[in-house]
Amino acid sequence: MTRKIIIDTDPGQDDAVAILLALASPNDLDVLGITAVAGNVPLPLTERNTRIVCELAGKPDTPVFAGCDAPLARPLVTAEHVHGTTGLDGPVMQDPVMALQDKHGVDFIIDTLRELPEKTVTLCPLGPLTNIATAFQKAPDIIPRVQEIVLMGGAYFQVGNITPAAEFNIYVDPEAADIVFKSGAPIVAMPLDVTHKALTTADRVEAFRAKGTEPCRMVAEWTNFFERFDKEKYGSEGAPLHDPCVIAYLIQSDLFSGRHINVQIETEGRLTLGMTVADWWRITDHPANVTFMNQIDAEGFFALLTDRIGRL
Ligand code: BDR
Ligand code: CA
C-alpha cells in the first residue's frame, strides 16, 4: 500500500538524496508535500534547494512550503562547513522555476493531518524539529492523528557530530526535539549510530554515475563535495548518507534494526545540550517512546538508492 508522507527538510545534499528517493518511489510513497525548515542553511536557501530538487526529479508539481526560519528558543546554528554556502554546493544548479506555496509549512502540516483520516499520514523530519514542534504546540489535536514520525536525528554510540555530545538536528532546536519526543506519537529515529554505517565508498558513488542520468550524476557530485569534510574528520573512506535512511526505512524497513527504548532530550546541559539520552541498556523503567535504530544493511541500502534514483 502507498504510504502518505510529509517530508520536513533542510537541504543539505543528504536531504536532497532523500527527497529524490521518495519522489522516485511513487508505488510506495505518496509525497503530499515538502516543508522546508531552517537548519543546514537559512530558510530562504532550504526552501529554494527543495524546489531545485523537485525539479531535478521531474516533479515540479510537488507542493513545497516554507516553514519556520529559526529554532523555538535559540539563534539558528547552521552547517555551511559541511554543505557549503548554498547548502547544495558541488555541481552548478539552476535557479528553480516552480513556485513556493503561499501557505506556511506549519499550517500545511496541521491542515493535512486534520483533513486526512487519522493515522494515515507519516511525518519524515530530516532537519531540526522546529516545524513539527510548532505544529504540535499550535494544534495538539493533530498529535494522535499522526501515523508515525520517522526522523533522522540523535546518537547514542556515536554521541555527537556538531558538539562532542550532540547530533546536529537535535542540537539546533533541542526544545523542539523535546516537544516531539514527549508527544506520544510513535517515533522511529535514525541516529548517527545507523548513518555512520552507510558510507559513500568510491564503488557506491561510481554506481550512481554509471546510471548516466542527470539525478544520479548530481548525487555523485554532491557526494564528492560533502565527503571531503567527513573523510578528513573521521579518516573514513566516504561520508555517511544520513537523511535517505528515513525514506529507505519507509520503503524497505527490514534494512534496519534497533530497540524500542526511552529517549529523552537534554535541553539544559552545560556541555551536553541537545544530547539524545537514550536508555539503550534499559537501565530505567521510563516508558519506551522511540524505536531507536542501530543497524543497517548498507549494501541493500545503496542498492535501493541507486535502483530507485536511477529510475528518475
Ligand atoms: C544531519 O545534519 C545535517 O547536516 C544532515 O542533513 C542531517 O540531517 C546529520 O547530523
Ligand atoms: Ca538534513
Side-chain angles (χ1 to χ4, degrees), residues 20 56 91-93 211-220 309 312:
L20 291 178
L56 175 64
V92 178
M93 309 293 306
K211 290 278 177 188
T213 63
E214 190 64 359
C216 283
R217 188 176 70 80
M218 291 297 170
V219 172
I309 297 175
L312 288 171

Side-chain angles (χ1 to χ4, degrees), residues 9-12 14-15 40 83 126-128 152 168-169 243:
T9 181
D10 63 336
D14 62 321
D15 301 73
N40 285 320
H83 301 276
L126 310 177
M152 191 279 136
F168 179 80
N169 289 342
D243 294 335

